[in-house]
Amino acid sequence: MTEPRRKRGAERTNNRGPAAIPQLPLRRVRNPYPPMALLSDDQIEAIHEASLHILENFGIELMSSRALALFEKAGAKVDHATQTVWLDRGLVDQALKTIRPTYTLTPRNPERKIHLGGDTINFTLVAGPPNVHDMERGRRAGNLRDYSDLVRLAQHFNCIHLIGNQVCAPVELPANSRHLDTYFANLTLTDKAFHVSAIGRGRALDGVRMMAISRGLTLDELARDPGVTTVISVNSPRRYDEFMSDGLMAMAEHGQSVAVTPFTLMGAMSPVTLAGALAQQNAEALFGVVLTQLVRPGAPVMYGAFTSNVDMRSGAPAFGTPENTKANIASGQLARRYNLPYRTTPGSASNAADAQGAYETMMALWGAVLGHGNLVYHAAGWQEGGLTASFEKFIIDVELIQHMMEFLKPIEVNEGELALDALGRVPTGGHFFGAQHTLERYSTAFYQPLLSNWHNFEAWREAGGLDATARATRVWKKALEEYVEPAMDASVREEMEAYVAKRKEEIGAGEP
Amino acid sequence: MTEPRRKRGAERTNNRGPAAIPQLPLRRVRNPYPPMALLSDDQIEAIHEASLHILENFGIELMSSRALALFEKAGAKVDHATQTVWLDRGLVDQALKTIRPTYTLTPRNPERKIHLGGDTINFTLVAGPPNVHDMERGRRAGNLRDYSDLVRLAQHFNCIHLIGNQVCAPVELPANSRHLDTYFANLTLTDKAFHVSAIGRGRALDGVRMMAISRGLTLDELARDPGVTTVISVNSPRRYDEFMSDGLMAMAEHGQSVAVTPFTLMGAMSPVTLAGALAQQNAEALFGVVLTQLVRPGAPVMYGAFTSNVDMRSGAPAFGTPENTKANIASGQLARRYNLPYRTTPGSASNAADAQGAYETMMALWGAVLGHGNLVYHAAGWQEGGLTASFEKFIIDVELIQHMMEFLKPIEVNEGELALDALGRVPTGGHFFGAQHTLERYSTAFYQPLLSNWHNFEAWREAGGLDATARATRVWKKALEEYVEPAMDASVREEMEAYVAKRKEEIGAGEP
């Protein structure tokens, strides 16, 4: 649990001066524009009906006897031998009456509270890669040192609102207890909300309990004011495995947030057509939503979407494609049909933090924004279709996210902004550099990038001629120097350390 | 005029096989989604009113006695000493009655006809850079050899609908006659519509006449069925210089297309605020629109927008910024208020064909598409804020444009697309690779990229581990090999050569 560098940032607080990396202030990001509609109302209803047809006639395989019993008790048709549930539309309607259209997640620092639903948009650190990459050290297996640096970066940049599930897997640690080390890192190196692993009940509950400890709450208090979320990935097509079902139920039971996310890669786990993949996604998502409400009516739950296509020649997943972008927008329409907060993803299949990585993520990110995603998951650092967390891609993505945040600031039109006085004073062919109107506003008028280089060619070449990827290396290194570890009460830290130690012993002794 | 390689492509026609670079077929691209609205109707009217205030009270400097006389005759208040025109709203309204909401440009190959206005979107090759760059030969001054290769690339890719004005300046040729060489290259190496230089009457008329020769038309016939366009850049703020005024009038006189484009970089040539810059842009654009209609009522004219911001620390222009993106969308709202076709631009300030180049252009390109641009100018190859035409950036941009074209294909929802049969047959946890539904559709279901690499990391590394920029080098080289020069009747070619020779003599003798 030793974190030798955890005081470093605090010691340096006073050294942060004008040379600090520019970034946008901490703020709740709202999407003021109407969501884009790619599907007509009729088309949405056709997809809705198709998804009910899937639930009612084809059924969902549910590999959990506890979950099967819940559905049976609620009146669904259940076959225990094949572990199949056929869900009629009445149960779906019933569940949709108790979901919450909006809710919040509160971490130990209440200023970092995030709002899910409505017009709020939140961005998360990439989650789940087995590997890590940066331009100096190359590609390597995930490990706790890199894990810690990546969550430090997520803490440092205000535009990252939530820590995703394991930014990389710390593979040097025992597989059955490493979630405790990553939760501890999330809770001590950041004060943001985070995503717990819901692969089984034990991992989920450890995250819930550690969040409760960090906030000094009982589990009941935490259930009334949730602090963590998880993603339940469906084993598409139409299968919920035991681990994910149990994780989902543990989260819902404790009033914590779940994003039910079918894994619908068109051509592989889903039909090759967008309408078919969306119908399947919708069926699988609604099934999970119903399960959360059977466990605990009112449990916070999101509609998750991960529909993209594969390369039909190799079967390899692709992201940031035109199809993925359309799915990100259309899925938002479906989520809003049910009044559910919407989780989406701006991925890329690129193996490098290069132009492809940038345009694929930008493409899908526009889909996420125009689709009014509330939780833009894997928003920073995603590389190789999610197999690698990249330090440089993280910086590129922070730049992309900040571009979007500024784009989402509405245009103001009023006397001061129309600038007629300045327009009348500056002579024809003249310039506005020295105009009073300019002088009063220039320092905040435009978005100031952290990565983009606007120098002319000669100045850029003299400064080394570094491309954006090479500059990103400098930025993440500087950000790690500027990083300040958020203070934590010593007694809270001790309680958390004791919890981790106790659980490691239990897990070592074979307890779940 | 020697073009040693002009037969190469034709000879290779039969060698084009399955390994050809994948690309989308030639098609008219329509934007089926509603335009995005960043401004309310009230805000649009406030900007409109402010622009009329500028025209009525501040006036426009117009450095052309012929143009001044036209305005005076039409009833505008004109001061010849200061060459200023004050334009009242009545003249603006009158001009807006005779403009064309849609029109076409027909090049020598009528299959390449482009539609301007309505829901059609066209993309052009970058125009105007003094320099050229590729990753193997580095940065160099523009020259006719590179010029020719770049227009060959524009000819090769179906998504490029129009050749912009001088993809690079062939600086080894005399400045006053090099436009003849570039027109000749446009007309022989491509069969697409192109952009003539309107820096003065002579350059404009040469382009008009050469297009007429290539189509075997008289100038009167060409006026009824235009084939070329130009951009009239305003010397913002509020100045039309003599060359551009004369060029505009020559084009309008001959019924050829003009995109009136104020050069409104916020903080430099425009107020630092978006509303002020848009008001200025609108005033300057409307002024040029009025001039076209005074010259020839019904002359084809576009509303051009080039509003972006500068780096307030250096004065350097920036593109693909959040402000630029908002301007691209809002300007579309203004153009549609006047029923004018809309020209916009997706630029980048990056000095390299890197991640910054990709995300800046993608950002502004989304603005162009959501703003319903009809002519997306400088859409491929733009680097260094327009100072360099990049071969690699061209390929990256073609990939971006094709992503957009596929995004603009609406989602179909019908029985076949909903795939319920396949969804019922594939077992839970199974896959759709072998499903009949997939087999019937897989080869055309998804967009096939020309640059994106979707291999897994190991396969990518074994193949050389090339990033997108390095792969782009291979793609443009292959495209030049695949290029086929469009056939031209020998007599037409001779007539064009004779025209060029005669004009070079005249220009050498001091004629304009």
Side-chain angles (χ1 to χ4, degrees):
Chain A
M1 307 307 303
T2 316
E3 281 295 332
R5 292 197 295 176
R6 72 190 178 80
K7 292 290 180 200
R8 181 190 59 180
E11 282 163 8
R12 291 198 178 204
T13 308
N14 295 333
N15 291 337
R16 293 165 77 188
I21 301 165
Q23 66 162 312
L24 296 179
L26 180 66
R27 70 164 191 250
R28 179 171 171 186
V29 185
R30 290 171 186 273
N31 195 334
Y33 312 126
M36 191 172 194
L38 297 189
L39 298 170
S40 69
D41 289 349
D42 286 351
Q43 288 179 318
I44 292 173
E45 286 318 296
I47 291 169
H48 169 71
E49 282 300 322
S51 66
L52 292 182
H53 183 91
I54 293 166
L55 291 173
E56 291 178 333
N57 297 285
F58 307 151
I60 302 287
E61 185 184 11
L62 180 59
M63 303 166 85
S64 156
S65 49
R66 242 188 95 220
L68 286 170
L70 274 174
F71 276 103
E72 194 161 35
K73 191 177 153 211
K77 182 178 157 198
V78 170
D79 181 78
H80 289 276
T82 60
Q83 298 189 303
T84 304
V85 178
W86 292 268
L87 194 57
D88 71 78
R89 59 187 66 209
L91 284 172
V92 173
D93 289 344
Q94 185 56 40
L96 291 173
K97 282 181 192 147
T98 58
I99 57 94
R100 304 194 209 176
T102 65
Y103 57 90
T104 58
L105 296 180
T106 308
R108 66 179 171 101
N109 178 351
E111 284 176 24
R112 306 283 198 181
K113 177 192 290 216
I114 71 169
H115 297 256
L116 291 162
D119 65 359
T120 305
I121 182 165
N122 302 281
F123 300 93
T124 85
L125 184 61
V126 62
N131 306 301
V132 181
H133 184 274
D134 71 72
M135 294 301 287
E136 293 192 345
R137 292 170 291 183
R139 190 173 186 258
R140 54 203 181 266
N143 59 83
L144 191 60
R145 183 195 158 104
D146 285 318
Y147 184 104
S148 301
D149 277 345
L150 286 162
V151 298
R152 285 186 181 101
L153 290 175
Q155 170 71 9
H156 185 70
F157 288 101
N158 296 315
C159 68
I160 305 297
H161 300 97
L162 184 128
I163 313 294
N165 181 37
Q166 293 202 357
V167 57
C168 63
V171 296
E172 77 277 27
L173 301 174
N176 53 2
S177 67
R178 66 171 73 127
H179 64 281
L180 294 162
D181 302 291
T182 62
Y183 295 160
F184 188 85
N186 294 347
L187 282 162
T188 54
L189 301 178
T190 92
D191 58 5
K192 297 187 179 186
F194 69 97
H195 179 297
V196 304
S197 169
I199 302 179
R201 186 174 175 82
R203 287 186 178 86
L205 289 186
D206 283 332
V208 174
R209 289 183 183 129
M210 288 173 72
M211 176 55 83
I213 292 169
S214 82
R215 289 170 59 193
L217 300 182
T218 66
L219 291 186
D220 275 351
E221 287 166 339
L222 190 71
R224 288 193 291 274
D225 182 12
V228 288
T229 188
T230 194
V231 166
I232 296 298
S233 294
V234 183
N235 305 86
S236 303
R238 297 188 292 116
R239 176 187 283 167
Y240 277 71
D241 73 19
E242 186 176 4
F243 278 113
M244 297 311 270
S245 307
D246 286 350
L248 178 152
M249 288 188 288
M251 292 292 282
E253 211 177 296
H254 289 81
Q256 302 305 301
S257 165
V258 166
V260 183
T261 310
F263 195 53
T264 38
L265 289 178
M266 289 184 271
M269 293 82 112
S270 291
V272 76
T273 48
L274 207 37
L278 291 173
Q280 179 189 334
Q281 168 192 290
N282 205 58
E284 294 174 353
L286 288 176
F287 186 86
V289 168
V290 171
L291 181 52
T292 63
Q293 302 307 298
L294 291 180
V295 171
R296 183 184 179 115
V301 59
M302 275 177 268
Y303 183 108
F306 198 80
T307 295
S308 192
N309 53 302
V310 298
D311 180 349
M312 289 310 293
R313 290 166 304 186
S314 67
F319 300 97
T321 63
E323 295 79 13
N324 181 210
T325 306
K326 285 193 254 192
N328 281 358
I329 296 173
S331 299
Q333 293 186 264
L334 290 164
R336 284 187 298 281
R337 185 196 181 290
Y338 307 113
N339 242 337
L340 287 160
Y342 171 41
R343 169 257 151 117
T344 177
T345 288
S348 157
S350 182
N351 290 297
D354 63 351
Q356 178 185 341
Y359 68 68
E360 286 184 337
T361 290
M362 185 59 111
M363 187 82 191
L365 182 60
W366 272 96
V369 168
L370 294 170
H372 269 228
N374 300 116
L375 185 68
V376 184
Y377 203 72
H378 300 301
W382 165 297
Q383 195 157 295
E384 286 182 36
L387 294 178
T388 286
S390 157
F391 281 74
E392 283 79 17
K393 183 66 166 30
F394 174 87
I395 297 298
I396 293 171
D397 289 344
V398 164
E399 184 71 290
L400 267 49
I401 292 167
Q402 292 200 147
H403 271 65
M404 282 297 175
M405 287 170 65
E406 286 294 292
F407 173 74
L408 293 174
K409 278 165 67 175
I411 300 175
E412 285 180 61
V413 181
N414 55 43
E415 201 184 321
E417 294 285 312
L418 282 168
L420 279 177
D421 188 58
L423 279 160
R425 282 174 197 271
V426 173
T428 59
H431 64 75
F432 290 74
F433 286 122
Q436 190 59 31
H437 182 269
T438 305
L439 294 174
E440 287 165 8
R441 292 167 175 84
Y442 80 94
S443 63
T444 57
F446 307 134
Y447 168 63
Q448 191 187 346
L450 78 160
L451 179 63
S452 300
N453 183 301
W454 294 341
H455 293 152
N456 65 33
F457 182 82
E458 290 72 21
W460 171 76
R461 187 167 50 186
E462 263 175 45
L466 300 182
D467 69 12
T469 308
R471 295 196 305 273
T473 305
R474 296 187 172 185
V475 177
W476 68 255
K477 287 175 146 184
K478 186 156 195 292
L480 283 179
E481 282 173 18
E482 290 180 7
Y483 161 82
V484 178
E485 184 172 313
M488 177 178 262
D489 194 272
S491 66
V492 173
R493 191 181 178 92
E494 278 160 26
E495 190 180 346
M496 199 129 50
E497 282 169 343
Y499 180 87
V500 169
K502 179 184 70 120
R503 285 288 295 140
K504 283 189 174 177
E505 254 183 58
E506 290 171 0
I507 290 168
E511 289 182 42
Chain B
M1 306 307 302
T2 316
E3 280 296 333
R5 292 198 296 179
R6 73 189 176 82
K7 294 287 182 202
R8 182 189 58 182
E11 283 162 7
R12 291 198 178 205
T13 308
N14 295 331
N15 292 337
R16 292 167 76 190
I21 301 164
Q23 66 161 313
L24 297 179
L26 179 66
R27 70 165 191 250
R28 180 172 171 185
V29 185
R30 290 171 185 275
N31 194 334
Y33 312 126
M36 191 172 194
L38 297 188
L39 298 170
S40 68
D41 289 348
D42 285 352
Q43 289 178 318
I44 292 173
E45 287 316 296
I47 290 169
H48 168 72
E49 282 299 325
S51 66
L52 292 182
H53 183 91
I54 294 167
L55 291 173
E56 291 179 332
N57 297 285
F58 307 151
I60 302 287
E61 185 183 10
L62 179 60
M63 304 165 84
S64 157
S65 50
R66 244 188 93 220
L68 286 169
L70 273 175
F71 276 102
E72 195 160 35
K73 191 178 152 210
K77 183 178 156 198
V78 170
D79 181 75
H80 289 277
T82 60
Q83 299 190 303
T84 304
V85 179
W86 292 267
L87 194 58
D88 70 76
R89 58 188 68 207
L91 283 172
V92 174
D93 288 344
Q94 185 57 40
L96 292 174
K97 281 179 193 150
T98 59
I99 58 95
R100 304 193 209 176
T102 65
Y103 57 90
T104 58
L105 296 180
T106 308
R108 66 178 173 102
N109 178 352
E111 283 176 23
R112 307 283 198 181
K113 176 191 291 217
I114 70 169
H115 297 255
L116 291 162
D119 64 0
T120 306
I121 181 165
N122 302 282
F123 301 93
T124 85
L125 184 61
V126 63
N131 305 301
V132 182
H133 185 274
D134 71 72
M135 294 301 287
E136 293 192 345
R137 293 169 291 183
R139 191 173 186 258
R140 55 205 180 264
N143 59 83
L144 191 60
R145 182 196 159 105
D146 285 320
Y147 184 103
S148 300
D149 278 344
L150 286 162
V151 297
R152 286 186 181 103
L153 290 175
Q155 170 71 9
H156 184 71
F157 288 101
N158 295 315
C159 68
I160 304 298
H161 300 99
L162 185 128
I163 314 294
N165 183 35
Q166 292 201 357
V167 55
C168 65
V171 296
E172 78 277 27
L173 300 175
N176 53 2
S177 67
R178 67 171 72 127
H179 62 283
L180 295 162
D181 302 290
T182 62
Y183 296 160
F184 187 84
N186 293 348
L187 282 163
T188 52
L189 302 178
T190 91
D191 58 5
K192 297 187 179 187
F194 70 97
H195 179 298
V196 305
S197 169
I199 302 178
R201 186 173 175 82
R203 288 187 178 86
L205 290 186
D206 284 332
V208 174
R209 289 182 184 132
M210 288 174 72
M211 176 54 85
I213 293 169
S214 81
R215 289 171 58 193
L217 300 182
T218 66
L219 290 186
D220 276 351
E221 287 166 339
L222 190 71
R224 288 194 291 274
D225 182 12
V228 289
T229 188
T230 195
V231 165
I232 296 297
S233 294
V234 183
N235 305 86
S236 304
R238 297 187 291 116
R239 176 186 283 167
Y240 276 72
D241 72 20
E242 187 177 2
F243 279 114
M244 297 312 269
S245 307
D246 286 351
L248 178 152
M249 288 188 288
M251 293 291 282
E253 213 176 295
H254 289 82
Q256 302 304 301
S257 165
V258 166
V260 183
T261 310
F263 196 52
T264 37
L265 289 177
M266 290 183 270
M269 293 81 110
S270 291
V272 77
T273 48
L274 206 38
L278 290 172
Q280 179 188 334
Q281 168 191 290
N282 205 57
E284 294 175 351
L286 288 177
F287 185 86
V289 168
V290 171
L291 181 51
T292 63
Q293 302 305 298
L294 292 180
V295 172
R296 182 184 180 115
V301 60
M302 276 175 268
Y303 183 107
F306 198 80
T307 295
S308 191
N309 53 303
V310 299
D311 180 349
M312 290 309 293
R313 291 166 302 185
S314 67
F319 300 97
T321 62
E323 295 80 13
N324 181 210
T325 306
K326 285 193 253 193
N328 281 358
I329 297 174
S331 298
Q333 294 186 264
L334 291 164
R336 284 186 299 280
R337 187 198 180 288
Y338 307 112
N339 240 339
L340 287 161
Y342 171 41
R343 169 256 151 115
T344 177
T345 288
S348 158
S350 182
N351 290 297
D354 62 351
Q356 179 186 340
Y359 68 69
E360 286 184 337
T361 289
M362 184 59 111
M363 187 83 189
L365 182 60
W366 272 95
V369 168
L370 294 170
H372 270 229
N374 300 117
L375 186 67
V376 184
Y377 203 72
H378 300 300
W382 164 296
Q383 197 158 293
E384 287 183 37
L387 294 178
T388 285
S390 157
F391 281 74
E392 282 79 17
K393 183 67 166 28
F394 174 87
I395 297 297
I396 293 170
D397 290 344
V398 164
E399 183 71 290
L400 267 50
I401 292 167
Q402 293 201 144
H403 271 65
M404 282 297 175
M405 286 170 65
E406 286 293 293
F407 172 73
L408 293 175
K409 278 165 66 175
I411 300 175
E412 285 180 60
V413 181
N414 54 43
E415 200 185 320
E417 294 285 310
L418 282 168
L420 279 178
D421 187 58
L423 281 160
R425 282 174 197 271
V426 173
T428 58
H431 64 75
F432 289 74
F433 286 122
Q436 189 60 29
H437 183 269
T438 305
L439 294 175
E440 285 165 8
R441 292 167 177 82
Y442 80 95
S443 63
T444 57
F446 307 135
Y447 169 63
Q448 192 188 344
L450 77 160
L451 179 64
S452 300
N453 182 303
W454 294 342
H455 293 154
N456 65 33
F457 182 81
E458 289 72 21
W460 171 76
R461 187 165 53 185
E462 263 175 46
L466 300 182
D467 69 13
T469 308
R471 294 195 306 272
T473 305
R474 297 188 171 185
V475 177
W476 68 255
K477 288 176 144 184
K478 188 156 194 291
L480 283 179
E481 283 174 18
E482 291 180 6
Y483 163 81
V484 178
E485 186 173 311
M488 177 177 264
D489 194 272
S491 65
V492 173
R493 190 181 181 94
E494 278 161 27
E495 190 179 347
M496 198 129 51
E497 281 169 343
Y499 179 87
V500 169
K502 179 185 67 121
R503 285 288 295 140
K504 283 191 173 176
E505 256 182 56
E506 289 172 2
I507 290 168
E511 288 182 42

